Amino acid sequence: MDFAWQHLGSRDRFIRWAARTAIEHQPLTTWSTRALSEKNPAIQVEALLGLARAGGISPPHRKPSDSPLDHQLGVEILKAWANLDPKTLDNERRLTWARTVQIVLHRFEITSSAAPSNLVAKLDPLFPSESAELNALLCETLVYLQSPTVASKALALMRSAPTQEEQIEYARSLRALEAGWTPATRNEYFTWFLKAANFRGGASFSKFIEFIRNDALDRLPASERKTFEELLEKKVEVRSAIENFGDVFAGRTPRDWTLDELAPAAERGMNGRNFNQGRKMFGAGACYACHRFGNEGGMTGPDLTGSGGRYSPRDLLDQILNPSKEINEQFVPSVLTKNDGSTVVGSVVNLNGDNVMINSDLSDPNQRITVDRKEVKSIEPSKISPMPPMLLSSMTEAEILDLVAYILSGGNRDHEMFRSSKAP
Ligand code: HEC
């Protein structure tokens, strides 16, 4: 036990996991007091997670033969948990800390009305934080606890989140919220679904958005349903991913930036850049629609997480401003010419059977154009990149340089390019 216990505080997440798993398999009475009274916060946070897992039972897995739940243990874990100061924990352990409270509430079947009132007081001031991962956990928990302030805070995050993943995460949690709505927040929430209907993803993607909306509608009191009738019946205006993300630029006059205009500033030095604005531009420029970056974004274009850093600032700008100058060979589109002379351009996604299936819009991975094989005259590689030019045209020079810094950094907020920059 002593050997495993010290490793609960390991810097290596996998070792922490192994130590915790070993401990969870020991009789609870031999270590529960130790977990509850552990003095080292980095060890205690992992020990409490273990105690929540070993001492409680996930409701769907409960068998009639299981001994009754020791609710007192759940309450004691929450007490020890609330005494931990998240500020003393590093980012990873802060996530463990935030996740542990969810697991306690779930496995000890503590309903929001039975939860100690200090939970909301403890979590609320931390939300929103700098980290999207932590925000996701905090939002989910605060919704479960029916915090009166979570709706407006989560909506503010949805407004500024650059990716559809992040926005969907908050929207998914908010669907279960009953407390603290105002006509304005309700209106903003249901209006968001009109925008989300134009988000693109895998095969069941739009169904999932619909499920979230249906769940939210189920919790909307009948009287309010009447108030929002018009909004709820509004038809979705179909827009491309590029239009959908470009909302931030409404009212700006686009300009045709050239490499020679932008490159000197980029080459003079990428110091004091703004990370958050760079990330925001990656969303607003629709880059996420086709490119994976970190854990977010589409997959129809190359993953830019590491590959973006291969370029000098000038070459990176060149790739973005002039996509067709040098096309990544794995992504060269095909030009299909039909017998009647008309053409379809895109990625061939299926050549089996009697049809050729082409995706001609990479920002919509599910879109398909089907051509009867008998109508196909030729299929040749295209000289034009599927990546649209002019994506930077509505951005200011500062915004473009922040975007370049964001890509070059591989998404690392601590990169020296962002030092001395003030968060907006
Ligand atoms: C409609 C889909 C789409 C959008 C939107 C898009 N790209 Fe691309 N991008 C691609 C594809 C496909 C390629 C590979 C073909 C090529 O090299 O031109 C590519 C290539 C690149 C490359 C070269 C990387 C390599 O490995 O070849 C960079 C850098 C890049 N994109 C940056 C961006 C940035 C920054 C944005 C947003 C401002 C953006 N892209 C928006 C589809 C897209």
Short mmCIF file of all heavy atoms in Angstrom, two decimals, residues 241-242 281-291 300-304 307-308 310-311 315-333 347 361-364 384-388 390-392 395 403-404 407, ligand 1:
data_model
loop_
_atom_site.label_atom_id
_atom_site.label_comp_id
_atom_site.label_asym_id
_atom_site.label_seq_id
_atom_site.Cartn_x
_atom_site.Cartn_y
_atom_site.Cartn_z
N ALA A 241 -19.91 26.33 -44.35
CA ALA A 241 -19.13 26.44 -43.12
C ALA A 241 -18.37 27.76 -43.11
O ALA A 241 -18.21 28.40 -42.08
CB ALA A 241 -18.16 25.28 -43.02
N ILE A 242 -17.91 28.17 -44.28
CA ILE A 242 -17.09 29.38 -44.35
C ILE A 242 -17.92 30.62 -44.02
O ILE A 242 -17.50 31.48 -43.25
CB ILE A 242 -16.39 29.47 -45.72
CG1 ILE A 242 -15.36 28.33 -45.78
CG2 ILE A 242 -15.74 30.82 -45.94
CD1 ILE A 242 -14.83 28.00 -47.14
N MET A 281 -9.11 33.47 -34.78
CA MET A 281 -9.02 33.61 -36.24
C MET A 281 -8.99 32.24 -36.92
O MET A 281 -9.49 32.09 -38.03
CB MET A 281 -7.75 34.40 -36.62
CG MET A 281 -7.85 35.87 -36.30
SD MET A 281 -9.28 36.64 -37.10
CE MET A 281 -10.24 37.19 -35.70
N PHE A 282 -8.41 31.25 -36.27
CA PHE A 282 -8.40 29.90 -36.85
C PHE A 282 -9.84 29.41 -37.01
O PHE A 282 -10.16 28.70 -37.96
CB PHE A 282 -7.60 28.95 -35.94
CG PHE A 282 -7.08 27.73 -36.64
CD1 PHE A 282 -5.88 27.78 -37.34
CD2 PHE A 282 -7.78 26.53 -36.62
CE1 PHE A 282 -5.39 26.66 -38.00
CE2 PHE A 282 -7.30 25.40 -37.28
CZ PHE A 282 -6.09 25.46 -37.97
N GLY A 283 -10.71 29.82 -36.09
CA GLY A 283 -12.13 29.48 -36.20
C GLY A 283 -12.83 30.36 -37.22
O GLY A 283 -13.50 29.89 -38.14
N ALA A 284 -12.64 31.68 -37.10
CA ALA A 284 -13.36 32.63 -37.95
C ALA A 284 -12.95 32.47 -39.42
O ALA A 284 -13.75 32.68 -40.33
CB ALA A 284 -13.09 34.06 -37.48
N GLY A 285 -11.70 32.09 -39.67
CA GLY A 285 -11.23 31.87 -41.04
C GLY A 285 -11.66 30.52 -41.59
O GLY A 285 -11.25 30.15 -42.68
N ALA A 286 -12.44 29.77 -40.80
CA ALA A 286 -12.98 28.46 -41.19
C ALA A 286 -11.89 27.38 -41.30
O ALA A 286 -12.14 26.30 -41.83
CB ALA A 286 -13.77 28.54 -42.51
N CYS A 287 -10.70 27.65 -40.80
CA CYS A 287 -9.62 26.66 -40.88
C CYS A 287 -10.05 25.34 -40.21
O CYS A 287 -9.76 24.25 -40.71
CB CYS A 287 -8.36 27.17 -40.22
SG CYS A 287 -7.96 28.90 -40.54
N TYR A 288 -10.76 25.46 -39.07
CA TYR A 288 -11.19 24.24 -38.37
C TYR A 288 -12.15 23.40 -39.21
O TYR A 288 -12.32 22.21 -38.95
CB TYR A 288 -11.92 24.61 -37.07
CG TYR A 288 -11.03 24.90 -35.89
CD1 TYR A 288 -11.06 26.15 -35.26
CD2 TYR A 288 -10.18 23.93 -35.36
CE1 TYR A 288 -10.27 26.43 -34.16
CE2 TYR A 288 -9.39 24.21 -34.25
CZ TYR A 288 -9.44 25.45 -33.66
OH TYR A 288 -8.66 25.72 -32.56
N ALA A 289 -12.81 24.02 -40.20
CA ALA A 289 -13.77 23.26 -41.00
C ALA A 289 -13.08 22.10 -41.72
O ALA A 289 -13.66 21.05 -41.93
CB ALA A 289 -14.48 24.18 -41.99
N CYS A 290 -11.83 22.28 -42.11
CA CYS A 290 -11.12 21.24 -42.88
C CYS A 290 -9.88 20.71 -42.17
O CYS A 290 -9.37 19.66 -42.54
CB CYS A 290 -10.68 21.80 -44.23
SG CYS A 290 -12.03 22.43 -45.23
N HIS A 291 -9.35 21.50 -41.23
CA HIS A 291 -8.07 21.12 -40.63
C HIS A 291 -8.22 20.71 -39.18
O HIS A 291 -8.86 21.41 -38.40
CB HIS A 291 -7.08 22.29 -40.68
CG HIS A 291 -6.60 22.61 -42.05
ND1 HIS A 291 -5.74 21.81 -42.75
CD2 HIS A 291 -6.87 23.67 -42.86
CE1 HIS A 291 -5.48 22.35 -43.93
NE2 HIS A 291 -6.16 23.48 -44.03
N THR A 300 -10.71 16.73 -43.39
CA THR A 300 -10.63 16.60 -44.84
C THR A 300 -9.36 17.24 -45.39
O THR A 300 -8.99 16.98 -46.53
CB THR A 300 -11.87 17.23 -45.50
OG1 THR A 300 -12.07 18.51 -44.94
CG2 THR A 300 -13.11 16.39 -45.28
N GLY A 301 -8.69 18.07 -44.62
CA GLY A 301 -7.40 18.65 -45.01
C GLY A 301 -6.31 18.10 -44.10
O GLY A 301 -6.59 17.33 -43.19
N PRO A 302 -5.04 18.49 -44.36
CA PRO A 302 -3.95 17.99 -43.51
C PRO A 302 -4.08 18.47 -42.05
O PRO A 302 -4.58 19.56 -41.82
CB PRO A 302 -2.69 18.60 -44.14
CG PRO A 302 -3.09 19.25 -45.41
CD PRO A 302 -4.57 19.36 -45.45
N ASP A 303 -3.65 17.62 -41.12
CA ASP A 303 -3.59 18.00 -39.70
C ASP A 303 -2.51 19.07 -39.55
O ASP A 303 -1.36 18.86 -39.93
CB ASP A 303 -3.23 16.76 -38.87
CG ASP A 303 -3.30 17.01 -37.37
OD1 ASP A 303 -3.00 18.14 -36.94
OD2 ASP A 303 -3.65 16.08 -36.63
N LEU A 304 -2.89 20.23 -39.03
CA LEU A 304 -1.91 21.32 -38.95
C LEU A 304 -1.24 21.42 -37.58
O LEU A 304 -0.43 22.31 -37.37
CB LEU A 304 -2.59 22.66 -39.29
CG LEU A 304 -3.06 22.87 -40.74
CD1 LEU A 304 -3.64 24.27 -40.90
CD2 LEU A 304 -1.93 22.67 -41.74
N SER A 307 2.32 20.11 -38.33
CA SER A 307 2.88 20.40 -39.65
C SER A 307 3.01 21.90 -39.90
O SER A 307 3.89 22.34 -40.61
CB SER A 307 2.04 19.74 -40.74
OG SER A 307 0.86 20.47 -40.94
N GLY A 308 2.15 22.70 -39.28
CA GLY A 308 2.22 24.15 -39.47
C GLY A 308 3.57 24.70 -39.03
O GLY A 308 4.10 25.64 -39.62
N ARG A 310 6.39 23.52 -39.40
CA ARG A 310 7.50 23.24 -40.33
C ARG A 310 7.87 24.46 -41.16
O ARG A 310 8.93 24.53 -41.74
CB ARG A 310 7.07 22.15 -41.33
CG ARG A 310 7.05 20.74 -40.83
CD ARG A 310 7.04 19.78 -42.02
NE ARG A 310 6.21 20.27 -43.13
CZ ARG A 310 5.08 19.69 -43.53
NH1 ARG A 310 4.65 18.62 -42.92
NH2 ARG A 310 4.40 20.16 -44.54
N TYR A 311 6.94 25.41 -41.26
CA TYR A 311 7.14 26.53 -42.17
C TYR A 311 7.76 27.73 -41.47
O TYR A 311 7.59 27.92 -40.27
CB TYR A 311 5.79 26.97 -42.75
CG TYR A 311 5.06 25.90 -43.50
CD1 TYR A 311 3.97 25.24 -42.94
CD2 TYR A 311 5.45 25.54 -44.79
CE1 TYR A 311 3.29 24.26 -43.64
CE2 TYR A 311 4.77 24.56 -45.50
CZ TYR A 311 3.69 23.92 -44.92
OH TYR A 311 3.01 22.95 -45.60
N ASP A 315 6.63 31.35 -45.48
CA ASP A 315 6.12 30.19 -46.24
C ASP A 315 4.71 29.81 -45.79
O ASP A 315 3.88 29.40 -46.60
CB ASP A 315 7.05 28.99 -46.07
CG ASP A 315 8.39 29.22 -46.77
OD1 ASP A 315 8.44 30.13 -47.63
OD2 ASP A 315 9.37 28.53 -46.44
N LEU A 316 4.47 29.95 -44.50
CA LEU A 316 3.13 29.62 -44.01
C LEU A 316 2.10 30.57 -44.62
O LEU A 316 1.05 30.13 -45.11
CB LEU A 316 3.10 29.69 -42.47
CG LEU A 316 1.76 29.38 -41.80
CD1 LEU A 316 1.26 28.00 -42.18
CD2 LEU A 316 1.86 29.49 -40.29
N LEU A 317 2.43 31.86 -44.63
CA LEU A 317 1.52 32.83 -45.25
C LEU A 317 1.30 32.49 -46.71
O LEU A 317 0.18 32.59 -47.22
CB LEU A 317 2.11 34.24 -45.12
CG LEU A 317 1.89 34.93 -43.78
CD1 LEU A 317 2.76 36.17 -43.66
CD2 LEU A 317 0.40 35.32 -43.63
N ASP A 318 2.37 32.10 -47.39
CA ASP A 318 2.27 31.76 -48.80
C ASP A 318 1.29 30.58 -49.00
O ASP A 318 0.45 30.60 -49.90
CB ASP A 318 3.67 31.39 -49.32
CG ASP A 318 3.75 31.49 -50.84
OD1 ASP A 318 2.84 32.08 -51.45
OD2 ASP A 318 4.73 30.96 -51.41
N GLN A 319 1.39 29.56 -48.14
CA GLN A 319 0.50 28.40 -48.24
C GLN A 319 -0.97 28.81 -48.08
O GLN A 319 -1.85 28.25 -48.70
CB GLN A 319 0.81 27.38 -47.14
CG GLN A 319 2.16 26.68 -47.27
CD GLN A 319 2.12 25.53 -48.27
OE1 GLN A 319 1.05 25.04 -48.62
NE2 GLN A 319 3.29 25.11 -48.74
N ILE A 320 -1.19 29.80 -47.19
CA ILE A 320 -2.58 30.19 -46.91
C ILE A 320 -3.12 31.12 -47.99
O ILE A 320 -4.26 31.02 -48.42
CB ILE A 320 -2.70 30.87 -45.52
CG1 ILE A 320 -2.09 29.97 -44.43
CG2 ILE A 320 -4.16 31.15 -45.18
CD1 ILE A 320 -1.96 30.65 -43.07
N LEU A 321 -2.25 32.04 -48.46
CA LEU A 321 -2.71 33.02 -49.46
C LEU A 321 -2.81 32.40 -50.85
O LEU A 321 -3.65 32.78 -51.65
CB LEU A 321 -1.76 34.22 -49.51
CG LEU A 321 -1.75 35.13 -48.28
CD1 LEU A 321 -0.56 36.09 -48.35
CD2 LEU A 321 -3.05 35.92 -48.18
N ASN A 322 -1.91 31.45 -51.14
CA ASN A 322 -1.84 30.87 -52.49
C ASN A 322 -1.89 29.34 -52.43
O ASN A 322 -0.90 28.67 -52.72
CB ASN A 322 -0.53 31.31 -53.16
CG ASN A 322 -0.36 32.83 -53.14
OD1 ASN A 322 -1.23 33.55 -53.62
ND2 ASN A 322 0.72 33.30 -52.54
N PRO A 323 -3.05 28.79 -52.06
CA PRO A 323 -3.12 27.35 -51.83
C PRO A 323 -2.72 26.51 -53.05
O PRO A 323 -2.22 25.40 -52.88
CB PRO A 323 -4.59 27.11 -51.46
CG PRO A 323 -5.18 28.43 -51.16
CD PRO A 323 -4.34 29.46 -51.83
N SER A 324 -2.93 27.04 -54.24
CA SER A 324 -2.69 26.20 -55.42
C SER A 324 -1.24 26.19 -55.89
O SER A 324 -0.87 25.42 -56.76
CB SER A 324 -3.59 26.66 -56.58
OG SER A 324 -4.94 26.48 -56.22
N LYS A 325 -0.42 27.06 -55.28
CA LYS A 325 0.97 27.16 -55.71
C LYS A 325 1.68 25.82 -55.49
O LYS A 325 2.45 25.37 -56.33
CB LYS A 325 1.66 28.27 -54.91
CG LYS A 325 2.87 28.83 -55.59
CD LYS A 325 3.08 30.26 -55.14
CE LYS A 325 4.44 30.43 -54.49
NZ LYS A 325 4.59 31.77 -53.90
N GLU A 326 1.41 25.22 -54.35
CA GLU A 326 2.06 23.94 -54.02
C GLU A 326 1.00 23.10 -53.30
O GLU A 326 0.68 23.38 -52.14
CB GLU A 326 3.25 24.22 -53.10
CG GLU A 326 4.12 23.03 -52.80
CD GLU A 326 5.05 23.35 -51.64
OE1 GLU A 326 5.15 24.53 -51.24
OE2 GLU A 326 5.67 22.42 -51.11
N ILE A 327 0.44 22.12 -53.98
CA ILE A 327 -0.65 21.34 -53.38
C ILE A 327 -0.08 20.09 -52.71
O ILE A 327 0.66 19.34 -53.34
CB ILE A 327 -1.69 20.92 -54.45
CG1 ILE A 327 -2.19 22.16 -55.23
CG2 ILE A 327 -2.87 20.20 -53.82
CD1 ILE A 327 -3.18 21.86 -56.32
N ASN A 328 -0.41 19.90 -51.46
CA ASN A 328 0.00 18.69 -50.73
C ASN A 328 -0.47 17.46 -51.53
O ASN A 328 -1.65 17.30 -51.83
CB ASN A 328 -0.65 18.73 -49.34
CG ASN A 328 -0.24 17.57 -48.47
OD1 ASN A 328 -0.08 16.45 -48.95
ND2 ASN A 328 -0.08 17.84 -47.19
N GLU A 329 0.49 16.58 -51.88
CA GLU A 329 0.17 15.51 -52.84
C GLU A 329 -0.90 14.53 -52.34
O GLU A 329 -1.57 13.89 -53.15
CB GLU A 329 1.45 14.76 -53.24
CG GLU A 329 2.17 14.15 -52.06
CD GLU A 329 3.53 13.55 -52.43
OE1 GLU A 329 4.07 13.92 -53.49
OE2 GLU A 329 4.03 12.73 -51.65
N GLN A 330 -1.06 14.45 -51.02
CA GLN A 330 -2.10 13.54 -50.51
C GLN A 330 -3.51 14.12 -50.66
O GLN A 330 -4.49 13.46 -50.38
CB GLN A 330 -1.87 13.28 -49.03
CG GLN A 330 -0.63 12.46 -48.75
CD GLN A 330 -0.40 12.35 -47.26
OE1 GLN A 330 -1.31 11.98 -46.52
NE2 GLN A 330 0.80 12.68 -46.82
N PHE A 331 -3.57 15.41 -51.05
CA PHE A 331 -4.88 16.06 -51.09
C PHE A 331 -5.20 16.65 -52.46
O PHE A 331 -6.04 17.53 -52.58
CB PHE A 331 -4.94 17.16 -50.02
CG PHE A 331 -4.87 16.62 -48.62
CD1 PHE A 331 -3.64 16.40 -48.00
CD2 PHE A 331 -6.02 16.28 -47.92
CE1 PHE A 331 -3.57 15.88 -46.72
CE2 PHE A 331 -5.96 15.76 -46.64
CZ PHE A 331 -4.73 15.56 -46.03
N VAL A 332 -4.51 16.17 -53.49
CA VAL A 332 -4.77 16.69 -54.84
C VAL A 332 -6.17 16.23 -55.26
O VAL A 332 -6.47 15.04 -55.25
CB VAL A 332 -3.72 16.17 -55.84
CG1 VAL A 332 -4.06 16.63 -57.25
CG2 VAL A 332 -2.33 16.63 -55.44
N PRO A 333 -7.05 17.18 -55.59
CA PRO A 333 -8.39 16.77 -56.01
C PRO A 333 -8.40 16.22 -57.44
O PRO A 333 -7.42 16.36 -58.16
CB PRO A 333 -9.21 18.05 -55.93
CG PRO A 333 -8.26 19.16 -55.81
CD PRO A 333 -6.87 18.63 -55.59
N SER A 347 -12.79 15.27 -54.17
CA SER A 347 -12.08 14.05 -53.78
C SER A 347 -12.95 12.86 -54.10
O SER A 347 -14.12 12.81 -53.70
CB SER A 347 -11.84 14.01 -52.27
OG SER A 347 -11.22 15.17 -51.86
N ASP A 361 -17.06 19.41 -51.61
CA ASP A 361 -16.97 20.48 -50.62
C ASP A 361 -16.34 19.92 -49.35
O ASP A 361 -17.00 19.27 -48.55
CB ASP A 361 -18.36 21.04 -50.32
CG ASP A 361 -18.32 22.11 -49.24
OD1 ASP A 361 -17.22 22.48 -48.77
OD2 ASP A 361 -19.42 22.59 -48.84
N LEU A 362 -15.05 20.17 -49.18
CA LEU A 362 -14.34 19.57 -48.05
C LEU A 362 -14.81 20.09 -46.71
O LEU A 362 -14.59 19.46 -45.68
CB LEU A 362 -12.83 19.79 -48.19
CG LEU A 362 -12.14 19.08 -49.36
CD1 LEU A 362 -10.64 19.26 -49.26
CD2 LEU A 362 -12.49 17.60 -49.39
N SER A 363 -15.48 21.25 -46.72
CA SER A 363 -15.96 21.75 -45.44
C SER A 363 -17.24 21.02 -45.01
O SER A 363 -17.76 21.24 -43.93
CB SER A 363 -16.19 23.26 -45.50
OG SER A 363 -17.31 23.55 -46.32
N ASP A 364 -17.75 20.16 -45.86
CA ASP A 364 -18.92 19.34 -45.54
C ASP A 364 -18.59 17.89 -45.86
O ASP A 364 -18.87 17.39 -46.94
CB ASP A 364 -20.13 19.83 -46.38
CG ASP A 364 -21.40 19.05 -46.05
OD1 ASP A 364 -21.34 18.15 -45.18
OD2 ASP A 364 -22.44 19.35 -46.66
N ILE A 384 -5.79 22.82 -59.11
CA ILE A 384 -6.31 23.84 -58.19
C ILE A 384 -6.57 23.21 -56.82
O ILE A 384 -7.21 22.17 -56.71
CB ILE A 384 -7.60 24.47 -58.75
CG1 ILE A 384 -7.25 25.19 -60.06
CG2 ILE A 384 -8.23 25.45 -57.77
CD1 ILE A 384 -8.43 25.57 -60.89
N SER A 385 -6.04 23.84 -55.78
CA SER A 385 -6.20 23.30 -54.42
C SER A 385 -7.67 23.36 -54.00
O SER A 385 -8.38 24.32 -54.33
CB SER A 385 -5.37 24.10 -53.44
OG SER A 385 -5.69 23.73 -52.12
N PRO A 386 -8.12 22.36 -53.24
CA PRO A 386 -9.48 22.41 -52.70
C PRO A 386 -9.61 23.45 -51.58
O PRO A 386 -10.71 23.74 -51.12
CB PRO A 386 -9.71 21.01 -52.15
CG PRO A 386 -8.34 20.43 -51.95
CD PRO A 386 -7.41 21.12 -52.89
N MET A 387 -8.47 23.99 -51.14
CA MET A 387 -8.55 25.02 -50.10
C MET A 387 -8.83 26.36 -50.75
O MET A 387 -8.12 26.78 -51.66
CB MET A 387 -7.22 25.07 -49.34
CG MET A 387 -7.13 26.25 -48.40
SD MET A 387 -5.82 26.02 -47.21
CE MET A 387 -5.41 27.72 -46.86
N PRO A 388 -9.89 27.06 -50.31
CA PRO A 388 -10.23 28.32 -50.96
C PRO A 388 -9.18 29.40 -50.67
O PRO A 388 -8.65 29.45 -49.56
CB PRO A 388 -11.58 28.71 -50.35
CG PRO A 388 -11.89 27.72 -49.31
CD PRO A 388 -10.80 26.72 -49.21
N MET A 390 -8.30 33.60 -50.34
CA MET A 390 -9.06 34.75 -49.79
C MET A 390 -9.63 34.53 -48.39
O MET A 390 -10.46 35.30 -47.94
CB MET A 390 -10.25 35.13 -50.72
CG MET A 390 -9.87 35.53 -52.12
SD MET A 390 -9.02 37.11 -52.19
CE MET A 390 -10.36 38.26 -51.86
N LEU A 391 -9.17 33.48 -47.71
CA LEU A 391 -9.73 33.25 -46.37
C LEU A 391 -9.29 34.32 -45.38
O LEU A 391 -9.91 34.52 -44.35
CB LEU A 391 -9.31 31.86 -45.85
CG LEU A 391 -10.01 30.68 -46.54
CD1 LEU A 391 -9.38 29.37 -46.11
CD2 LEU A 391 -11.51 30.68 -46.25
N LEU A 392 -8.19 35.01 -45.71
CA LEU A 392 -7.68 36.03 -44.79
C LEU A 392 -8.23 37.41 -45.11
O LEU A 392 -7.91 38.39 -44.44
CB LEU A 392 -6.14 36.08 -44.86
CG LEU A 392 -5.39 34.77 -44.64
CD1 LEU A 392 -3.88 35.03 -44.64
CD2 LEU A 392 -5.81 34.13 -43.32
N MET A 395 -9.59 39.77 -42.47
CA MET A 395 -8.82 39.95 -41.22
C MET A 395 -7.91 41.17 -41.33
O MET A 395 -7.46 41.53 -42.41
CB MET A 395 -7.95 38.71 -40.96
CG MET A 395 -8.74 37.44 -40.75
SD MET A 395 -7.62 36.05 -40.40
CE MET A 395 -8.74 34.66 -40.71
N LEU A 403 -2.84 34.74 -36.09
CA LEU A 403 -3.18 33.42 -36.65
C LEU A 403 -1.92 32.64 -37.00
O LEU A 403 -1.78 31.46 -36.68
CB LEU A 403 -4.07 33.60 -37.89
CG LEU A 403 -4.33 32.35 -38.74
CD1 LEU A 403 -5.21 31.37 -37.96
CD2 LEU A 403 -5.03 32.71 -40.06
N VAL A 404 -0.99 33.34 -37.66
CA VAL A 404 0.27 32.68 -38.05
C VAL A 404 1.02 32.19 -36.80
O VAL A 404 1.49 31.05 -36.74
CB VAL A 404 1.15 33.65 -38.88
CG1 VAL A 404 2.56 33.13 -39.06
CG2 VAL A 404 0.49 33.89 -40.25
N ILE A 407 -0.59 29.04 -35.37
CA ILE A 407 -0.28 27.81 -36.12
C ILE A 407 1.17 27.40 -35.85
O ILE A 407 1.45 26.23 -35.57
CB ILE A 407 -0.52 28.01 -37.63
CG1 ILE A 407 -2.00 28.34 -37.89
CG2 ILE A 407 -0.13 26.74 -38.41
CD1 ILE A 407 -2.30 28.75 -39.32
C1 HEC B 1 -12.40 23.84 -47.55
C2 HEC B 1 -11.33 23.23 -46.82
C3 HEC B 1 -10.20 24.08 -46.27
C4 HEC B 1 -10.26 25.24 -45.55
C5 HEC B 1 -11.51 26.03 -45.14
C6 HEC B 1 -8.90 25.59 -45.21
N1 HEC B 1 -8.04 24.68 -45.75
FE1 HEC B 1 -6.01 24.70 -45.61
N2 HEC B 1 -5.92 23.10 -46.82
C7 HEC B 1 -6.99 22.35 -47.27
C8 HEC B 1 -6.51 21.24 -48.07
C9 HEC B 1 -7.37 20.18 -48.72
C10 HEC B 1 -5.11 21.33 -48.09
C11 HEC B 1 -4.12 20.40 -48.82
C12 HEC B 1 -4.00 20.80 -50.25
C13 HEC B 1 -3.03 21.94 -50.46
O1 HEC B 1 -1.86 21.79 -50.07
O2 HEC B 1 -3.42 22.95 -51.03
C14 HEC B 1 -4.75 22.50 -47.29
C15 HEC B 1 -3.46 22.93 -47.04
C16 HEC B 1 -3.10 23.87 -46.10
C17 HEC B 1 -1.76 24.16 -45.68
C18 HEC B 1 -0.53 23.45 -46.18
C19 HEC B 1 -0.31 22.24 -45.30
C20 HEC B 1 0.17 21.01 -45.99
O3 HEC B 1 0.49 20.03 -45.30
O4 HEC B 1 0.20 20.99 -47.23
C21 HEC B 1 -1.84 25.14 -44.73
C22 HEC B 1 -0.68 25.75 -43.95
C23 HEC B 1 -3.23 25.49 -44.57
N3 HEC B 1 -3.97 24.69 -45.42
C24 HEC B 1 -3.73 26.45 -43.71
C25 HEC B 1 -5.06 26.81 -43.64
C26 HEC B 1 -5.53 27.91 -42.82
C27 HEC B 1 -4.67 28.77 -41.91
C28 HEC B 1 -6.88 27.99 -43.03
C29 HEC B 1 -7.84 29.00 -42.46
C30 HEC B 1 -7.54 30.40 -42.69
C31 HEC B 1 -7.25 26.95 -43.98
N4 HEC B 1 -6.11 26.26 -44.31
C32 HEC B 1 -8.53 26.69 -44.44
C33 HEC B 1 -8.31 22.62 -47.05
C34 HEC B 1 -8.80 23.74 -46.39
#
